[in-house]
């Protein structure tokens, strides 16, 4: 009853921001993403009668029983137990190979790895669609980390989310020239968690109706542009969609402002370099990090220029990454 999974994080090309149902974790709109080759979570789950309570270890540290994250993980384990018809307690150990909760989608890879390892350890035999749905119930963006390459998470219509899961648009090797350059601007834990932040946006932002009207269409269009491997269209729409999402964040009451001065500096530079003929686009999520999209041919020139921006602490180049998988090396 022990299993280990590895799931890679993903960066949304068209974003998910706002739920239509909190219990079932259903989004107001579909979204699209690229799974990253470089950043992943490995999670081992063991169900055993020897555990009196759920024991959760994150990056080597035991989680306090009353912490918010601990509660969310336990609730997800309850869901898996309910599906498997068991009540056995667990030990969970999970490691990220990147900073937690700094806008690098650790909840996406974390909940996808937990779902895959947990389902296997509980004796459930779930296919990719069912794993995506289970992951979604832990964290919306995690639904997109079960598949590799380029992915779309369908909004769906069903009130319990039976048709709201993610599927692959393109395999990683089908567009291997695509690059996502992650510029680390700050690694402090974020002030505004996505879950609470998006609920606050839905409740108070006067521009949220604009988002709701356009975001679904953005995702459908993005899926087509990805299929066509049209880099210019993908980049332009990704950048525009990210700016629209941040416009709703900034105009939430109280404001949700993830950008740091270096975030804005990178945005200005990307636009300027593009005018000079160096084609790249930016996107940002719930943190100050800027992810720059380009094609392989422009990677080294862009990295050279990005290295000259003082506020960037680290630059990581990602390619389209693989699907989540079960691995044999357990963490305990
Ligand atoms: C800005 O998936 O972390 O990264 O479903 O409440 O767990 P919950 O939120 P989460 O939100 C991700 C928000 C985003 C955009 C995106 O990845 O689509």
């Amino acid at each position: 009853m022990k299993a280990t999974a590895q799931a890679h994080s993903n960066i949304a090309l068209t974003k998910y921001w706002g739920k239509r149902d909190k219990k079932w974790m259903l989004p107001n709109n579909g979204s699209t993403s690229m799974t990253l080759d470089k950043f992943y979570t490995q999670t081992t789950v063991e169900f055993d009668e020897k555990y009196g309570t759920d024991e959760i270890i994150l990056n080597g540290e035991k989680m306090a029983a009353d912490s918010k994250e601990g509660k969310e993980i336990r609730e997800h384990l309850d869901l898996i137990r309910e599906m498997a018809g068991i009540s056995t307690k667990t030990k969970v150990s999970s490691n990220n190979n990147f900073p937690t909760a700094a806008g690098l989608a650790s909840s996406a890879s974390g909940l996808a790895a937990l779902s895959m390892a947990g389902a296997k350890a509980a004796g459930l035999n779930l296919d990719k669609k069912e794993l995506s749905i289970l992951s979604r119930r832990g964290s919306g963006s995690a639904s997109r980390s079960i598949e590799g390459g380029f992915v779309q998470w369908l909004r769906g219509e069903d009130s319990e989310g039976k048709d709201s899961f993610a599927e692959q648009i393109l395999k990683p090797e089908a567009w291997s020239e695509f690059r996502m350059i992650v510029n680390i601007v700050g690694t402090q834990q974020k002030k505004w968690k996505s879950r609470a932040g998006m609920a606050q946006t839905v409740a108070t932002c006067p521009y949220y109706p604009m988002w709701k009207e356009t975001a679904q269409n953005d995702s459908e269009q993005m899926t087509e542009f990805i299929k066509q491997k049209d880099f210019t269209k993908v980049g332009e729409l990704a950048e525009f969609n990210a700016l629209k999402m941040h416009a709703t964040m900034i105009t939430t009451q109280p404001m949700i402002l993830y950008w740091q001065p270096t975030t804005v500096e990178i945005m200005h530079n990307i636009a300027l370099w593009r005018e000079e003929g160096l084609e790249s686009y930016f996107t940002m999520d719930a943190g100050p990090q800027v992810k720059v999209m380009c094609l392989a041919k422009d990677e080294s020139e862009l990295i050279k220029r990005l290295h000259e921006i003082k506020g960037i602490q680290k630059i990581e180049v990602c390619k389209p990454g693989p699907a989540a998988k079960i691995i044999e090396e357990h963490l305990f």
Side-chain angles (χ1 to χ4, degrees):
M1 292 289 250
K2 189 195 271 193
T4 303
Q6 174 168 321
H8 290 246
S9 71
N10 71 76
I11 299 294
L13 297 170
T14 52
K15 312 292 184 183
Y16 146 58
W17 195 251
K19 295 176 178 64
R20 67 176 198 275
D21 187 296
K22 284 191 184 124
K23 174 173 181 244
W24 294 95
M25 299 283 261
L26 296 172
N28 272 325
N29 59 275
S31 53
T32 56
S33 58
M34 184 182 106
T35 303
L36 307 179
D37 63 339
K38 221 173 190 176
F39 300 131
Y40 57 80
T41 303
Q42 290 183 334
T43 301
T44 300
V45 180
E46 181 178 41
F47 288 92
D48 199 304
E49 301 297 342
K50 70 184 174 203
Y51 301 120
T53 68
D54 289 324
E55 196 179 307
I56 301 163
I57 300 158
L58 194 58
N59 293 321
E61 275 184 47
K62 211 171 158 180
M63 282 190 121
D66 53 356
S67 71
K68 202 166 165 223
E69 286 84 0
K71 195 172 156 262
E72 280 167 16
I73 292 173
R74 262 179 217 104
E75 281 172 9
H76 202 61
L77 291 167
D78 285 342
L79 211 64
I80 295 170
R81 280 189 276 257
E82 197 187 304
M83 287 170 78
I86 56 174
S87 56
T88 327
K89 297 293 181 197
T90 62
K91 179 171 175 180
V92 175
S93 180
S94 188
N95 287 340
N96 290 331
N97 73 338
F98 57 94
T100 303
L104 289 176
S106 60
S107 73
S109 54
L111 268 297
L114 179 69
S115 299
M116 191 177 243
K120 174 101 201 287
L124 291 166
N125 191 11
L126 305 185
D127 61 21
K128 276 190 169 173
K129 175 179 157 182
E130 291 165 322
L131 280 171
S132 175
I133 290 178
L134 174 61
S135 302
R136 184 202 79 217
R137 295 201 57 193
S139 179
S141 55
S143 67
R144 301 187 307 240
S145 270
I146 293 297
E147 265 298 0
F150 295 84
V151 176
Q152 73 165 318
W153 170 19
L154 303 165
R155 177 194 190 273
E157 298 297 331
D158 182 66
S159 60
E160 294 184 357
K162 292 188 186 73
D163 54 359
S164 186
F165 55 90
E167 53 186 22
Q168 192 173 58
I169 306 169
L170 276 186
K171 287 187 168 48
E173 35 318 340
W175 204 2
S176 56
E177 315 85 84
F178 200 102
R179 296 287 179 276
M180 187 76 78
I181 305 174
V182 180
N183 297 279
I184 313 274
V185 167
T187 52
Q188 282 184 329
Q189 294 258 337
K190 59 197 183 196
K191 198 166 148 191
W192 303 278
K193 299 255 181 208
S194 328
R195 188 159 307 172
M198 68 174 80
Q200 192 66 12
T201 298
V202 174
T204 67
C205 171
Y207 300 124
Y208 193 73
M210 167 283 295
W211 173 263
K212 253 175 93 170
E213 262 168 45
T214 61
Q216 176 62 23
N217 189 45
D218 285 358
S219 281
E220 288 169 15
Q221 270 208 307
M222 182 60 90
T223 302
E224 288 312 308
F225 296 161
I226 291 169
K227 280 185 191 156
Q228 295 158 11
K229 299 205 287 177
D230 187 327
F231 180 68
T232 301
K233 287 196 174 139
V234 166
E236 282 176 357
L237 181 56
E239 199 174 281
F240 180 52
N241 180 273
L243 287 169
K244 277 198 292 188
M245 175 181 74
H246 281 270
T248 71
M249 291 165 161
I250 293 165
T251 50
T252 293
Q253 291 168 306
M255 74 164 178
I256 301 173
L257 179 59
Y258 290 112
W259 302 351
Q260 292 295 328
T262 307
T263 312
V264 180
E265 195 180 340
I266 301 171
M267 290 159 69
H268 280 299
N269 277 298
I270 295 299
L272 190 74
W273 298 338
R274 202 157 60 214
E275 273 172 31
E276 294 168 11
L278 182 61
E279 191 179 13
S280 68
Y281 302 90
F282 58 76
T283 186
M284 293 85 58
D285 295 284
Q289 275 49 275
V290 184
K291 294 97 178 188
V292 175
M293 291 157 273
C294 71
L295 290 174
K297 65 180 173 59
D298 294 320
E299 178 188 328
S300 56
E301 177 61 24
L302 265 164
I303 290 178
K304 197 179 109 219
R305 295 190 190 192
L306 287 163
H307 269 299
E308 283 162 18
I309 300 177
K310 286 198 186 61
I312 300 178
Q313 296 168 5
K314 210 169 179 208
I315 296 175
E316 304 268 16
V317 182
C318 295
K319 297 177 190 163
K325 58 176 186 282
I326 292 292
I327 58 173
E328 298 309 319
E329 305 78 46
H330 300 306
L331 296 178
F332 59 88

